[in-house]
Amino acid sequence: MRRLVPFVLVPFLLVPATTAEAARPPTPSGPTATGYGGAVTSVDPTATAVGLQVLREGGNAVDAAIAVAATLGVTEPFSAGIGGGGFFVYYDAKTGRVSTIDGRETAPRSMTETAFVNPETGQPYAFQEARVSGLSAGVPGTLATWDAALRRWGKRSLAKNLRPAGDVARRGFTVDQTFAQQVKDNEAAFTQFSSTSALFLPGGKVPAVGSTLRNPDLAATYDLIARRGIGAFYGGEVGRDIVTTVQRPPLAAGPALDWQYEIRPGGMTLADLRAYEVRRPAPTHVKYRGYDVYGMATPSSGGSTVGEALNILERSDLSKLDKTQALHRYLEASALAFADRNRYVGDYTPRPLLDALLTDGFAAERACQIDPAKALAKPVLPGVPDGRYDGCATTSGGAATDFGKSTTNLTVADKWGNVVEYTLTIEQIGGNGIVVPGRGFLLNNELTDFNFTPTQGTAHDPNLPGPGKRPRSSMAPTVVLQHGKPFLALGSPGGSTIITTVLQILVNRLDLGMSLPEALAAPRATQRNTASVTAEPAFSSSAEGVALATLGHTYTPMAEIGAATAIEFLDHGKLLACAEPVRRGSGSAGTVR
């Protein structure tokens, strides 16, 4: 379990109960919960408890999701927060429609294609040199996402939904092993900045497991935004502090640890913050085994890549294959879809091209390359989504894949049947390492999700930096409908492994006969068009993993992949809420009753 601090819940439990339902405490029951009246699942029990209380007080799924996200900005500050961005998918029970909000960070107007190339050497910066700098910080979109979602669908004000998170920040939360390890892993970067050291390295040391960490600066920032609105952030006093931090990083006078790179300033301005706007693209949509699967369009590649892989897999009846062959096709479909993602998907991908990637005809062209007897040599080449069936045609292009690994995900449903699937991030665990002085939140390093130099040979690279451009993402918040009603909502953190995590859970649940808890717990492997399959040890050592090796799949080990949350909608209004049972220290799920 993660950071469930009993006294944090006291303010919420003191709310006067008006019904027997409201009198019951909204305590999460662990990584899996079943019940009625709404559900919340996240990586953190304190955040899940906050969301449940909002539902119990009459808030809807949007209100609860934003209250959960704001609380995760306190308890999971290295994965998400108001210094970052994300993608918000919403199912409206009244209309039966799925809508999305693109709250991805944007590059400043001063950014060029060569922003991550050292002008003195002509070579791209090392990743950590680019990351721990002002260069990597994009204009944050999280607060604008919350404001837009609440204005369109919420029942409560932003101020009211921020209040529980502010209380958690003031009172503090218990540091667990995961939190302490994330500080330890970032210690060298964090010590370079006076503001970051003061917050996350109190007394110059990694906070001890079991100690209480408070963030009064973030509480005050939430209070300020509650009073003055998001204008305080996008152009007001908070915005001015962000710009100062980006342009003149608050370097420590005598950092405790060495850092081998120059810490470079960025070019974000107050005008960049004032110009930020969320987008509302139509969701991606594919049909799979009779289900309607909705996801996120560009600049995320999550919806299109998951959707294309599902279309490829639908060419086989996985339920009638043995598990080895089903997983073989899952890995091959992932590689093929990633080849097309890398070649075609970026912020400015035309919608007709994105839709062409999701056609059945294009899926047939890609599926015909899969050989049941052996794994394809990787990387595979991208296909030609030209609207014609050209057999197994391919084109030229590289296969670079981004490997950012931070992010958090949450899933919420309310008693009216509305659903939110929300993935938010500051990119790397710890973002760019810089806390905005006096404001209590880390800035993102989202702009390192751009390709630093061209990756597609002589073909156009859709993910190079540019002024006002949004870097390609792998976030894949997904809502699955059956006969027009919610059947499943799910998402995960994990950088580019998000796509394969969501895809594998869908295959586990829809094709391989697993229950939702089993689908989340099953060992994972990710094939992102790379020479080897990155796999959890339990996958590569399983009978199927050994059998897959005889087909030519090789493995690179990774301790854990993803940290999903999901809700399944059962008969008669019953909800099954699931989080990871083990990964990232386990997640937290609960239902209203």
Side-chain angles (χ1 to χ4, degrees):
M1 292 293 292
R2 308 205 56 190
R3 290 193 294 284
L4 182 55
V5 186
F7 64 77
V8 168
L9 302 181
V10 169
F12 314 132
L13 299 182
L14 291 178
V15 174
T18 57
T19 67
E21 174 183 307
R24 285 188 286 272
T27 305
S29 58
T32 301
T34 57
Y36 300 88
V40 179
T41 177
S42 79
V43 73
D44 178 72
T46 300
T48 296
V50 163
L52 289 172
Q53 186 62 35
V54 169
L55 293 177
R56 299 174 74 83
E57 292 174 357
N60 66 12
V62 173
D63 298 309
I66 289 162
V68 171
T71 305
L72 290 171
V74 180
T75 62
E76 297 285 328
F78 311 130
S79 296
I82 57 174
F87 297 100
F88 192 100
V89 178
Y90 176 67
Y91 170 81
D92 189 318
K94 285 185 178 179
T95 65
R97 293 183 57 188
V98 176
S99 302
T100 70
I101 297 176
D102 161 18
R104 183 68 158 161
E105 301 88 337
T106 63
R109 291 289 172 182
S110 59
M111 179 159 269
T112 67
E113 282 195 357
T114 59
F116 293 112
V117 175
N118 189 326
E120 297 177 2
T121 66
Q123 297 300 308
Y125 295 124
F127 176 79
Q128 290 296 342
E129 183 175 11
R131 174 209 164 197
V132 182
S133 73
L135 281 174
S136 65
V139 177
T142 291
L143 268 173
T145 300
W146 297 353
D147 185 67
L150 287 171
R151 289 179 182 275
R152 187 168 180 184
W153 303 301
K155 296 184 68 179
R156 303 179 2 148
S157 67
L158 178 61
K160 193 169 185 179
N161 289 320
L162 287 176
R163 193 171 301 140
D167 290 342
V168 174
R170 268 182 288 271
R171 293 174 178 271
F173 60 91
T174 300
V175 173
D176 69 357
Q177 182 59 50
T178 300
F179 189 98
Q181 187 61 51
Q182 289 175 342
V183 176
K184 181 66 177 175
D185 293 342
N186 279 284
E187 187 175 9
F190 285 0
T191 59
Q192 306 309 308
F193 307 104
S194 56
S195 53
T196 313
S197 299
L199 179 56
F200 295 124
L201 292 162
K205 297 180 180 179
V206 174
V209 174
S211 64
T212 298
L213 193 140
R214 297 178 176 85
N215 192 340
D217 286 346
L218 182 56
T221 301
Y222 281 167
D223 290 345
L224 176 65
I225 293 164
R227 292 194 308 272
R228 301 190 185 177
I230 66 170
F233 187 94
Y234 292 100
E237 51 261 65
V238 179
R240 287 193 289 272
D241 289 345
I242 292 171
V243 169
T244 298
T245 302
V246 169
Q247 295 182 358
R248 298 191 295 277
L251 300 178
L257 297 174
D258 292 333
W259 187 251
Q260 68 184 99
Y261 303 111
E262 178 183 347
I263 295 174
R264 301 174 185 276
M268 189 190 301
T269 67
L270 207 58
D272 292 318
L273 278 163
R274 287 175 175 149
Y276 186 86
E277 293 183 352
V278 299
R279 300 172 181 169
R280 296 177 174 86
T284 61
H285 174 225
V286 299
K287 289 186 175 292
Y288 185 71
R289 318 285 191 203
Y291 297 93
D292 290 282
V293 182
Y294 292 90
M296 196 69 220
T298 54
S300 179
S301 62
S304 60
T305 311
V306 169
E308 181 186 341
L310 288 173
N311 284 341
I312 294 170
L313 289 171
E314 199 168 30
R315 270 62 206 161
S316 303
D317 188 347
L318 301 187
S319 67
K320 293 183 179 179
L321 299 175
D322 64 62
K323 193 173 180 181
T324 297
Q325 275 298 315
L327 291 171
H328 171 61
R329 284 166 171 77
Y330 152 70
L331 294 172
E332 298 293 80
S334 298
L336 292 162
F338 259 92
D340 300 323
R341 163 202 188 265
N342 298 339
R343 173 65 182 83
Y344 298 112
V345 181
D347 189 23
Y348 300 146
T349 301
R351 189 62 191 234
L353 174 56
L354 191 71
D355 292 340
L357 292 170
L358 295 174
T359 60
D360 289 333
F362 184 60
E365 291 183 14
R366 304 302 275 150
C368 71
Q369 298 196 49
I370 297 176
D371 184 346
K374 64 179 180 180
L376 293 164
K378 311 295 188 308
V380 299
L381 293 174
V384 186
D386 55 8
R388 303 189 307 270
Y389 179 73
D390 299 315
C392 291
T394 59
T395 187
S396 62
T401 295
D402 50 275
F403 291 100
K405 60 181 181 180
S406 186
T407 309
T408 193
N409 191 82
L410 59 97
T411 311
V412 181
D414 63 31
K415 64 183 179 182
W416 297 283
N418 304 304
V419 183
V420 170
E421 188 62 49
Y422 185 25
T423 313
L424 60 159
T425 185
I426 57 172
E427 212 282 319
Q428 191 78 3
I429 293 176
N432 75 349
I434 310 175
V435 168
V436 179
R439 300 300 180 184
F441 62 89
L442 283 156
L443 291 175
N444 69 83
N445 65 298
E446 215 64 64
L447 301 186
T448 59
D449 269 356
F450 285 122
N451 295 332
F452 289 12
T453 56
T455 65
Q456 302 302 305
T458 59
H460 168 68
D461 188 324
N463 192 41
L464 290 173
K469 191 175 181 181
R470 303 186 181 201
R472 181 172 61 203
S473 169
S474 299
M475 288 180 272
T478 302
V479 172
V480 181
L481 305 185
Q482 184 179 34
H483 309 306
K485 301 294 183 182
F487 171 74
L488 186 64
L490 74 159
S492 177
S496 56
T497 70
I498 292 171
I499 291 168
T500 55
T501 296
V502 169
L503 177 62
Q504 190 174 0
I505 290 170
L506 289 171
V507 169
N508 289 345
R509 179 67 190 90
L510 303 180
D511 291 305
L512 302 186
M514 296 184 194
S515 68
L516 184 60
E518 291 170 339
L520 265 69
R524 291 185 187 136
T526 175
Q527 171 49 273
R528 294 159 289 167
N529 201 23
T530 51
S532 64
V533 176
T534 300
E536 294 176 343
F539 184 97
S540 55
S541 64
S542 67
E544 293 80 20
V546 172
L548 287 166
T550 68
L551 299 179
H553 296 282
T554 59
Y555 299 112
T556 298
M558 180 179 282
E560 57 182 40
I561 297 172
T565 68
I567 296 175
E568 185 170 334
F569 300 81
L570 307 176
D571 293 336
H572 309 298
K574 192 173 185 179
L575 300 167
L576 171 59
C578 294
E580 293 286 353
V582 176
R583 297 178 182 97
R584 283 204 185 183
S586 83
S588 172
T591 57
V592 171
R593 67 179 192 274

